[in-house]
Every structure is written in structure tokens, then in C-alpha cells.
Amino acid sequence: MPRQKISLEDLRAELEKEEETKVEEPTEEEKPRKAPKKTVKKEVTTEENLLVPIEEYLKAGIHIGSQYKTGDMRNYIYKTRQDGLHVLDIKTVNERIGIAAEFLSKYEPARILVVAGRVYARKPARKFAENVGCLLSMKRFVPGTLTNPINPNFVEPDVILVSDPGVDKQVIKEAERIRVPVVALCDTNNLLKDVDLCVPLNNKGRKSLALAYWLLARGIQLKRGIIKDAKDFTPTIEQFE
């Protein structure tokens, strides 16, 4: 039975909720007569709320961005190292991979198109397509693939996953014309024009891309009920490299 799709408006509303962190001030009646000593509870990224142990993220360098940053990606950057490399927030990387997997799981696999123009993204994207059962476009994306019915490569996806908005800009341009949502793996140097869901991560490294696509494939299978537990996902991260 077809799974219910989520509209772009619902997606944007969900992401806005995620980014809002309002804390209501207590009323006068709720305030204690003698306030106890204040303690600041610092939120930390724990193993319990990560999709994989933090060591896997660090080993893959999924949080290591480039020496360039755009205004679009500024809010996803945790810090800048002394060597000039911008570092992404692992907590946000982890959350967005989970959101992307859930979003993509709402679509029939045969209506998902994954695009990998970047060399290091091709094998991870191919393994993702094999495990999810979706459409795949590697190497050069032929203009008209989404917009010209007489094109021999013509496809009609309901959602698109791109490995790099800069490299895969032609498909994003066509997706905007036909009003198909785009999920994109975005590095610190990427622009988010016409990207509907940004997944911030290192989209240039082989190990980073392998881990990202492995997590997305596993997450989609979990959400679709193909596997009951994350441990039931048999492919290894190394097989995606």
C-alpha cells in the first residue's frame, strides 16, 4: 500500500519546530520564595541520541567541512579550526540524517531518485539505491532528464536526493521547474537555493559519504518496517565505501 507523502509545507513546518528552542519564563506565582542556587545544565551529545557511536562519526570525518562557508550554511557550523577548516555540529548532522531518512521513507522507493555527480559519492549512492530500491543517476546528469519526455533518460521521480548541490545543480534546477522536493547533502561551502531539506555534512570525503548513505538506507528500511531493529541491517559501512 502506498505510504503517505509529506508536503513541502509540512516539512518546512517540522524543520522550523526543530530549530525553535523557546523556554517559557515562570510566572510570579510559580517562582520559589527563596530561589535555589542556579545550575547550568549543558546539553551534550550522548550515545543514546546518536544513530551510531560518536567514534564512527569522528572516524568518517562527517563533521569536517571545507575552508569556505556560505551564509546559507552558517547556522550549521560549530566552530572554525586553526587551519581554517569549518567544523559542523555533529548533533545537527545526526538529527538531519534522521529527519531525511524519515522524509524519504514516505515515498515509494521506485519514485525516489538519488543523484551522484561527485566521484566519491557514486559507490555510496549505488549501494543506497540497491538497498532502498530507488532510481540512480551517476556521472553527468543529462539536461532534460526530468523535463523532456522524449529524452531517452527521462524519469518522473516524486523526490530527489543529491550528493552535492554544487555538482548536482542541473537536477536541482529541473526539480524546481517541476516542483519536486530536493533533499541535499550539503557541505559548508554549499548554497541552499531550491534545496528543500539540507543535511549538513562533509560531502567530499569517501568515508563520510559512505557513512551518510549507509545511515540513510538503514533509516529508510527501519521507517518502512523492512527491518525491526538497526542491528538487522546487514550491509556494512565498508561496503558503501
Side-chain angles (χ1 to χ4, degrees):
M1 184 172 69
R3 298 173 70 86
Q4 183 181 4
K5 299 175 187 175
I6 183 171
S7 68
L8 296 185
E9 291 72 20
D10 290 340
L11 172 62
R12 289 176 183 130
E14 183 179 335
L15 295 180
E16 285 172 5
K17 277 185 186 177
E18 170 206 341
E19 292 169 357
E20 288 177 0
T21 54
K22 284 187 178 179
V23 178
E24 293 184 1
E25 291 293 330
T27 62
E28 289 300 323
E29 292 76 10
E30 292 173 330
K31 290 182 180 178
R33 291 177 181 273
K34 192 173 183 179
K37 184 178 179 181
K38 287 186 177 180
T39 57
V40 178
K41 187 176 181 181
K42 188 177 180 180
E43 186 178 356
V44 294
T45 301
T46 62
E47 294 291 340
E48 288 76 15
N49 55 28
L50 290 178
L51 299 171
V52 289
I54 194 167
E55 290 78 15
E56 290 289 346
Y57 280 136
L58 298 176
K59 184 172 67 174
I62 202 167
H63 61 306
I64 304 299
S66 70
Q67 291 186 324
Y68 301 96
K69 69 176 178 181
T70 63
D72 291 347
M73 295 298 295
R74 183 175 57 247
N75 292 336
Y76 301 110
I77 296 173
Y78 172 65
K79 68 176 183 179
T80 302
R81 301 194 321 194
Q82 288 186 344
D83 59 4
L85 287 174
H86 299 295
V87 179
L88 294 159
D89 178 33
I90 286 184
K91 179 174 179 289
T92 304
V93 173
N94 181 78
E95 288 176 349
R96 285 303 180 97
I97 290 175
I99 290 172
E102 181 169 8
F103 177 63
L104 292 169
S105 73
K106 306 295 183 184
Y107 293 83
E108 288 299 320
R111 306 292 290 183
I112 300 171
L113 171 64
V114 58
V115 181
R118 184 175 289 282
V119 173
Y120 281 161
R122 290 172 189 170
K123 184 176 180 180
R126 177 168 54 82
K127 296 297 291 184
F128 171 86
E130 289 174 3
N131 283 276
V132 173
C134 66
L135 301 168
L136 172 66
S137 173
M138 297 194 299
K139 301 182 180 178
R140 180 176 177 268
F141 185 83
V142 179
T145 298
L146 303 182
T147 57
N148 185 359
I150 65 172
N151 188 317
N153 301 302
F154 181 69
V155 291
E156 297 181 276
D158 288 334
V159 65
I160 297 169
L161 170 62
V162 302
S163 306
D164 185 328
V167 176
D168 305 319
K169 58 188 176 182
Q170 178 63 31
V171 67
I172 295 177
K173 179 180 178 181
E174 294 190 19
E176 172 62 19
R177 286 182 60 186
I178 62 173
R179 301 299 298 158
V180 169
V182 172
V183 179
L185 309 185
C186 303
D187 211 325
T188 60
N189 65 316
N190 284 129
L191 296 170
L192 301 185
K193 186 178 185 299
D194 298 328
V195 169
D196 298 289
L197 175 55
C198 163
V199 183
L201 52 79
N202 171 2
N203 64 12
K204 299 173 181 62
R206 177 173 54 86
K207 290 184 178 294
S208 173
L209 286 163
L211 178 57
Y213 274 110
W214 182 85
L215 285 170
L216 287 170
R218 188 187 71 173
I220 290 171
Q221 287 201 7
L222 275 169
K223 294 296 181 181
R224 293 184 64 84
I226 297 171
I227 56 175
K228 302 301 181 185
D229 189 272
K231 294 178 182 178
D232 297 333
F233 190 63
T234 55
T236 65
I237 300 170
E238 289 72 24
Q239 290 173 336
F240 276 66
E241 291 182 11

